[in-house]
Amino acid sequence: MNSKQRTIKFLFLWAFTSIFVGKLNAQESTRTALEDANLKKALYCMEILENRPDLESEHRINILRNECYSENFIEHAPNIEDGREALLSLFAKRYEKYPELSMSVKRTASDGDLVWIHLHVKHTPDSLGGAGIHIFRMKEGKIVEHWGVGQPVPKESKNNNTMF
């Protein structure tokens, strides 16, 4: 292969690679600004909700009321009463019962006005905790609707996969 053929081959491979990498980068950044904002806000709210024992309970509840949950909040979990104030009352009791409550986010996604958060929640530092998935519908920077599923982390698993 002569120098001219090598140059043509190199330019062809470079162009192909540039187009391919550009397409991959475009696919990675397909979230809209609103989806990014919704995800960021939902993560902030989950941080206050589950991971800030350094804040006084009343202060956490006020942040959640004023910054995170809509006045017209809708709850879909069958074991939680509907409405923002019922949810905040539940959180206040939870903070008293589990002052060392913590969580770690494992993965997230957003699509339009919906945000998904997969997390590991622990009532105490030594507990196995539970796996949870929260789905939030966001509107004007607040959570207006919630669906959630959860399961406890078992001592032993029938497979070698983790829950996270």
Side-chain angles (χ1 to χ4, degrees), residues 63-131:
I63 292 171
L64 294 168
R65 177 181 289 113
N66 297 324
E67 297 180 35
C68 294
Y69 287 89
S70 168
E71 187 175 339
N72 301 313
F73 173 73
I74 300 167
E75 177 61 64
H76 290 276
N79 59 332
I80 300 174
E81 290 184 42
D82 198 18
R84 179 179 71 181
E85 294 310 313
L87 184 69
L88 296 176
S89 175
L90 175 74
F91 293 158
K93 291 174 190 167
R94 202 165 151 202
Y95 299 148
E96 287 179 32
K97 187 173 182 178
Y98 304 110
E100 296 181 284
L101 180 73
S102 67
M103 67 94 188
S104 58
V105 173
K106 301 304 179 181
R107 54 193 52 82
T108 63
S110 61
D111 183 24
D113 62 354
L114 297 175
V115 173
W116 291 263
I117 301 176
H118 179 211
L119 47 83
H120 183 194
V121 176
K122 297 173 81 175
H123 289 148
T124 65
D126 297 331
S127 72
L128 294 173

Side-chain angles (χ1 to χ4, degrees), residues 4-16:
K4 185 175 180 181
Q5 289 173 322
R6 277 192 297 254
T7 301
I8 291 172
K9 184 176 180 181
F10 171 78
L11 288 173
F12 175 76
L13 287 173
W14 176 81
F16 177 77

Side-chain angles (χ1 to χ4, degrees), residues 46-56 60 101-102:
M46 287 305 298
E47 177 70 16
I48 298 296
L49 172 65
E50 304 274 19
N51 221 24
R52 291 298 305 272
D54 60 308
L55 297 175
E56 292 293 326
R60 288 168 88 173
L101 180 73
S102 67

